[in-house]
Amino acid sequence: MITGIMFRDGIISAANNISNSRQAVDALNIFPVPDGDTGTNMSMTITAAKKEVSAMPDNCTLSEVSKRCASALLRGARGNSGVILSLIFRGFSKAFKDIDEASGTDVAAAFRAATEAAYKAVMKPTEGTILTVVRKAAEAAEEMAKANDDPIEVCFAALQAARDALAKTPEQLPVLKKAGVVDAGGQGLVLIFEGFNSVFGHDAIVQLLDGSSVEPVSAPDKKTVAQASGDIEFGYCSEFLIERAKDAREKDSLKLRAYLESIGDCVVVVDDENIIKVHVHSNCPGTVIQSALKYGQLINIKIDNMRYQHRNAEVGVKEGEKPIEPTVTEPENKYGFVAVCAGEGLEELFTDLGADTIVSGGQTMNPSTDDILNAIMQTPAKTVFVLPNNKNIIMAAEQAIPLATDREVRVLPTKTIPQGISAMLSFDEGEDAEANQMAMMEMAESVETGQVTFAARDSEVDGNPIKKGEIMGLCNGKIAFTGADREDIAFKTVNKLFKKNQHSLVTLIYGEGVSEEAAGDLEERLNKKYKNDMEISVVNGGQPIYYYIISVE
């Protein structure tokens, strides 16, 4: 039988195994654009679960461990591969509900539930990916369970099928075959299954190699978003998680919320089946803690003296000191916005357009579901629109929707910064949420996006070799030009996207490593060619990775 402690150690082993190989998995990404790579995202996602389950006792049940794991993965999910991984483990958790130990039949049912959860999350499932790998694993598990109910044998059959499916991914996706690689997400999943097998089959946890761990990308220090004025009524900010206890004296989180509102303000209580996330401003942090203990064990406790922070803010935060954290607010306004972007200029631009909260992220910096959820909870609105502005962040943002229980969340699937900007410009305060969402996405999809970046690895696209470090011009996500001259590639990219009588406005957003003078020369060159046919705006976005982000409307 597979016990709770075996599953717990399996998660630890799996997280270590993929962390040890994350760079090799990253290297399987065939598209040369710098990205929030698959191996890193999957490693960071399952490491969030490893941290949660490591402290669980040896007598924990399979149901308890799988629930804790699924909850941690949901909040720690990064990138599309991380979200799909979290859904696979959510399927495991549902199948193992109320089960102390699993038989082979139970394991097979868990693989089937995992497969169904993963496929449901993708609108157009593509075979030859992580989806195929988990599906083949489930089919093999079901076949083995019919003949042999030994759960270890069922798990090993699933692993072997996953390996075989991974090896065949190049036959299903020609782009993989041409590059001579297997699917990165599928490889990550096989590494995770192998980590579990090390525990199940050999009673050995894979050890983490030195230098293999990866920490979340931290947001750059920000200036205080807003300075408090006047006296602070409630001086202590308390934040923590409650791990629900089966024998808890209290179970209704709404009752806790009502009590906290009676002794403080800025109360946020978000819960799922096994945890309650709490934030409150009060003058009695001890009383807050005592009331929360009625629901279960407290973890990740943080209590800040806001009056002390405010005094520090008035004289400025010195280097090395902890910056002031944004305030979590009640949903008072009708509408609010969360935007994902990186770079001081872009942050200021989205703020000027009306974004309440900025999540630092983008290419190579995919924020987690929890990062986005925290930003949503900091936005003082009954309806919060989230703009991911990157195709690899959309799924993580969508996972936050059911977690924000006290406000409506609408994720606009913006894939680029120009789409996000255009969406915000089309917002109409007088319209309802549904009408705004439709209008904003219609405007976003009408924008042409150009990007100028560098090749992160040697590759071949459409038969054309690309060398690491070459400058690339992308038109709506597809590589159109390569070369050595950054501004020339940017010029060619605008030329390809801009159509007279269809477009009139071009915005050049220049990033790190590009001088104002260089961007000005590019503007002058475009003005000479297009004269009055093109209106050009130049913005210092300060974004990493992309030398230029180009909007054509």
Side-chain angles (χ1 to χ4, degrees):
M1 301 293 280
I2 291 179
T3 64
I5 187 173
M6 290 170 66
F7 197 81
R8 179 200 69 186
D9 291 349
I11 294 165
I12 297 168
S13 182
N16 291 346
N17 201 44
I18 190 172
S19 292
N20 290 341
S21 300
R22 66 180 177 82
Q23 291 181 330
V25 178
D26 286 346
L28 294 174
N29 286 297
I30 54 179
F31 204 53
V33 173
D35 199 359
D37 288 321
T38 302
T40 297
N41 281 337
M42 294 182 76
S43 173
M44 293 174 75
T45 299
I46 196 166
T47 295
K50 169 188 167 182
K51 291 177 180 177
E52 280 292 311
V53 305
S54 292
M56 295 188 75
D58 290 351
N59 62 352
C60 56
T61 67
L62 180 59
S63 177
E64 291 168 345
V65 179
S66 61
K67 280 184 179 180
R68 180 82 68 88
C69 174
S71 180
L73 282 165
L74 171 62
R75 287 161 171 74
R78 293 174 185 268
N80 294 344
S81 57
V83 172
I84 292 174
L85 180 64
S86 74
L87 294 172
I88 288 171
F89 276 85
R90 186 188 296 180
F92 288 152
S93 176
K94 287 183 178 180
F96 290 146
K97 185 178 181 180
D98 299 327
I99 293 178
D100 292 344
E101 299 180 349
S103 65
T105 302
D106 294 329
V107 170
F111 270 102
R112 175 53 55 193
T115 300
E116 291 174 354
Y119 269 84
K120 284 179 182 177
V122 181
M123 188 172 296
K124 295 181 179 179
T126 300
E127 297 301 332
T129 65
I130 186 175
L131 297 176
T132 306
V133 173
V134 71
R135 177 171 60 82
K136 290 295 185 181
E139 291 171 358
E142 289 171 329
E143 284 301 311
M144 177 57 74
K146 291 175 184 177
N148 186 345
D149 199 40
D150 182 341
I152 306 303
E153 292 297 327
V154 172
C155 286
F156 186 69
L159 170 59
Q160 288 293 86
R163 287 170 171 164
D164 292 343
L166 175 66
K168 294 176 182 176
T169 55
E171 301 302 321
Q172 295 171 288
L173 287 177
V175 68
L176 296 177
K177 186 173 184 178
K178 194 169 186 179
V181 297
V182 295
D183 177 68
Q187 177 67 82
L189 187 61
V190 167
L191 287 166
I192 287 169
F193 287 168
E194 287 175 343
F196 272 95
N197 185 66
S198 181
V199 172
F200 292 175
H202 307 287
D203 197 26
I205 295 176
V206 174
Q207 297 302 303
L208 186 65
L209 302 177
D210 290 342
S212 296
S213 61
V214 57
E215 294 300 322
V217 178
S218 58
D221 288 350
K222 301 181 185 300
K223 296 176 182 177
T224 308
V225 176
Q227 295 288 350
S229 59
D231 293 333
I232 297 176
E233 182 179 0
F234 299 105
Y236 294 93
C237 172
S238 303
E239 290 185 81
F240 50 85
L241 297 176
I242 306 172
E243 182 183 306
R244 288 184 182 270
K246 287 185 177 179
D247 57 350
R249 291 160 52 192
E250 299 286 356
K251 297 186 183 297
D252 187 357
S253 62
L254 292 178
K255 186 176 180 180
L256 175 62
R257 178 190 176 96
Y259 175 71
L260 295 179
E261 286 178 339
S262 73
I263 64 168
D265 67 3
C266 295
V267 178
V268 176
V269 177
V270 183
D271 66 341
D272 61 16
E273 290 183 353
N274 59 323
I275 68 166
I276 305 173
K277 188 169 187 176
V278 176
H279 174 280
V280 60
H281 294 175
S282 73
N283 286 324
C284 310
T287 303
V288 170
I289 297 299
Q290 288 298 320
S291 65
L293 285 170
K294 297 176 183 178
Y295 293 78
Q297 177 178 292
L298 307 190
I299 55 178
N300 298 345
I301 301 172
K302 182 170 72 70
I303 299 174
D304 291 324
N305 184 326
M306 295 188 296
R307 294 186 180 97
Y308 179 74
Q309 286 183 330
H310 180 52
R311 287 198 299 271
N312 286 343
E314 289 176 340
V315 297
V317 179
K318 298 178 181 178
E319 185 176 357
E321 292 181 342
K322 183 178 179 181
I324 297 174
E325 297 187 3
T327 302
V328 177
T329 57
E330 286 295 307
E332 298 173 350
N333 302 329
K334 185 176 180 181
Y335 295 121
F337 293 90
V338 171
V340 181
C341 64
E344 264 190 43
L346 284 177
E347 290 178 8
E348 291 178 7
L349 176 58
F350 274 101
T351 300
D352 289 344
L353 290 174
D356 300 87
T357 314
I358 302 295
V359 178
S360 183
Q363 290 296 95
T364 76
M365 299 186 299
N366 297 157
S368 69
T369 295
D370 202 35
D371 293 333
I372 296 169
L373 175 62
N374 287 337
I376 291 168
M377 304 311 291
Q378 292 163 15
T379 303
K382 295 180 176 66
T383 298
V384 180
F385 292 99
V386 180
L387 295 92
N389 301 330
N390 184 295
K391 65 180 182 180
N392 206 33
I393 299 174
I394 294 171
M395 287 185 72
E398 289 173 340
Q399 296 305 301
I401 294 174
L403 301 177
T405 55
D406 67 337
R407 62 200 74 193
E408 180 185 13
V409 178
R410 290 176 175 260
V411 175
L412 304 177
T414 51
K415 297 178 180 178
T416 67
I417 291 294
Q419 284 192 348
I421 293 170
S422 292
M424 292 206 66
L425 285 169
S426 65
F427 174 73
D428 185 345
E429 180 76 33
E431 294 287 349
D432 63 27
E434 187 68 27
N436 263 308
Q437 183 166 356
M438 292 178 63
M440 291 166 75
M441 279 313 301
E442 183 178 354
M443 184 62 70
E445 290 167 355
S446 70
V447 176
E448 307 282 350
T449 298
Q451 296 159 319
V452 179
T453 185
F454 58 90
R457 57 185 68 88
D458 290 342
S459 184
E460 184 177 305
V461 177
D462 295 332
N464 300 312
I466 298 175
K467 294 295 183 183
K468 180 178 179 180
E470 270 193 292
I471 306 299
M472 301 184 300
L474 286 74
C475 294
N476 295 316
K478 296 184 178 180
I479 299 172
F481 306 101
T482 59
D485 189 315
R486 186 181 62 201
E487 274 64 46
D488 186 57
I489 294 296
F491 181 78
K492 290 177 178 178
T493 301
V494 175
N495 279 341
K496 185 173 178 66
L497 292 173
F498 187 82
K499 303 290 188 296
K500 287 185 179 180
N501 301 321
Q502 292 184 30
H503 302 123
S504 59
L505 177 63
V506 170
T507 304
L508 303 174
I509 305 172
Y510 64 94
E512 288 181 355
V514 179
S515 66
E516 184 179 358
E517 182 181 7
D521 290 343
L522 174 59
E523 178 188 16
E524 184 177 349
R525 186 177 173 186
L526 289 167
N527 273 324
K528 283 182 179 179
K529 178 172 181 177
Y530 290 99
K531 299 182 173 60
N532 294 330
D533 292 327
M534 180 185 291
E535 180 184 344
I536 303 174
S537 298
V538 180
V539 177
N540 180 2
Q543 70 273 5
I545 308 301
Y546 293 117
Y547 300 120
Y548 289 96
I549 297 175
I550 301 161
S551 173
V552 177
E553 303 174 73

